[in-house]
Amino acid sequence: MNFDVIIIGGGAAGLMFAIEAGKRGRRVVVLEHAERLWKKILISGGGRCNFTNVGASAAHYVTSGSPHFCKSALARFTPNDFIALVEKHGIAYHEKKLGQLFCDFSSKQIVELLEAECAAAKVEIRLECRVVEVRKNARFEVETNLGMFTSDSVVIATGGLSFPKLGATDFGYRLAEKFDLKIVPRRAGLVPLTFAEKEQRFYAQLSGISLDVIATVPGATFRENILFTHRGVSGPAILQVSNYRKATDPIGLNLFPEKSAQQLLEKQRSEKKELTTVLSQWLPQRFVQAWCEQNFPSRPMNRFTPREVESIAARLHSWQIQPAGDEGYAKAEVTLGGIETNELSSKTMEARRVPGLFFVGEVVDMTGWLGGYNFQWAWASGCAAGGAV
Ligand SMILES: Cc1cc2nc3c(=O)[nH]c(=O)nc-3n(C[C@H](O)[C@H](O)[C@H](O)COP(=O)(O)OP(=O)(O)OC[C@H]3O[C@@H](n4cnc5c(N)ncnc54)[C@H](O)[C@@H]3O)c2cc1C
């Protein structure tokens, strides 16, 4: 079982690597510990796989290392390159919003695309293959329950820790440690946030309400929807800020992202209508009731002073919430942190200090925003390394 390259992990990045290296005539084998491939792709994007984002650039990635690290790979395999593959396979797709491309029908079509490309590139795949040890002598030796594999190069594409029920493991990080490569501490990313128990009663009454907001934490602002859940907050706005938020940061929510609350309220300040009735013109009634009880008990508008109206408007534009934790890897779409980028070549993803050893995809300390950026990184980093072996 001698190969040019052994790829450990058969997800988006590993398979893109295998396709690229296979097309270049390399003999490649993918070792996957699960009983089948594609699990994450199948459930991604709510079953329609948000396979890329037309605007993907370095600005859409979070890393503790150099923000420039991803530029080379992203420039050499662009969203248009993946779109060309999608079109070549006749897959209908659409832009949902903000440059996010989804299949019209099913993520299964992306799986079929990758399967066809793997077959054309003569990629060999071994399922239920458990790697026991990786050694580097004259060649790499990968000892598994299916026997010993040897190769000139090994690619680690085992992903992050998110969604353990789909087969996530810490294998890639352990292997990096074994080869003395530095790792940025990991934490859940693109993850719903939770409130402390004493606050959960207040937020539980908002469960199911979705609002269009501008969410802000130090260093990041997103205009998206927030969704209140029975334990905390979720929705795109919250998942996005979760990538940037330090544990103690409050989140500022602008509940009037387009209008001036001050002007709207001022116009109705001489009226007898209750504050709750007035605010319910723009926000869901159930939210308004709870929000007013917590912030400004409702009374007729004409009984608020101009100063009070000013404070109400200011709070509507900057309501602070303070989640206490997050839902963890079980519900996180990605893992922040990972193999330090300065351990790797940004052109090839090869470990600078361990020639022949490559890391691609989510195992690297490079995490995208919500919206197709994480698959784009998986395709691009896989392709960069696949062109280098
Ligand atoms: C629910 C969900 C929905 C998502 N939706 C989107 C989306 O629509 N768009 C987007 O851009 N991103 C999405 N993401 C993120 C995206 O799926 C990942 O960033 C991307 O799959 C990472 O690719 P990867 O190849 O690095 O890792 P993965 O795709 O996670 O693949 C890793 C592979 O390695 C295997 N493996 C792990 N350990 C071992 C081991 N010890 N031995 C052998 N094999 C091993 C795993 O079984 C898996 O097959 C979503 C994530 C989740 C969890």
Side-chain angles (χ1 to χ4, degrees), residues 9 36 103 124-125 211 268 311 328 345:
R36 63 188 176 93
C103 298
E124 292 191 39
I125 294 167
L211 304 173
Q268 310 201 24
S311 323
S345 150

Side-chain angles (χ1 to χ4, degrees), residues 8-14 31-34 40 43-45 49-50 129 131 157-160 162-163 166-169 171 332-334 360-363 372-376 378:
I8 305 178
L31 309 182
E32 166 61 51
H33 74 148
K40 213 180 256 183
I43 63 160
S44 68
C49 189
N50 178 192
C129 181
V131 175
T158 44
S162 316
F163 269 59
L166 296 183
T169 71
F171 178 90
E333 276 200 19
V334 287
V360 295
E362 200 179 311
V363 73
Y373 301 101
N374 284 296
F375 276 137
Q376 187 57 35

Side-chain angles (χ1 to χ4, degrees), residues 211-215 222-224 226 252-268 275-284 287-288 291-292 296 301 309-319:
L211 304 173
D212 173 20
V213 298
I214 297 172
F222 291 91
R223 165 84 188 270
E224 285 267 19
I226 178 176
L253 297 179
N254 181 349
L255 303 170
F256 277 68
E258 277 181 355
K259 304 182 180 85
S260 157
Q262 171 72 28
Q263 279 176 11
L264 293 169
L265 292 177
E266 198 51 48
K267 272 191 206 147
Q268 310 201 24
L275 172 65
T276 46
T277 312
V278 170
L279 288 179
S280 298
Q281 294 172 87
W282 306 291
L283 295 165
F287 176 82
V288 168
W291 188 86
C292 284
F296 297 93
M301 284 302 287
V309 168
E310 218 171 279
S311 323
I312 297 168
R315 190 142 335 152
L316 288 166
H317 282 294
S318 181
W319 182 42

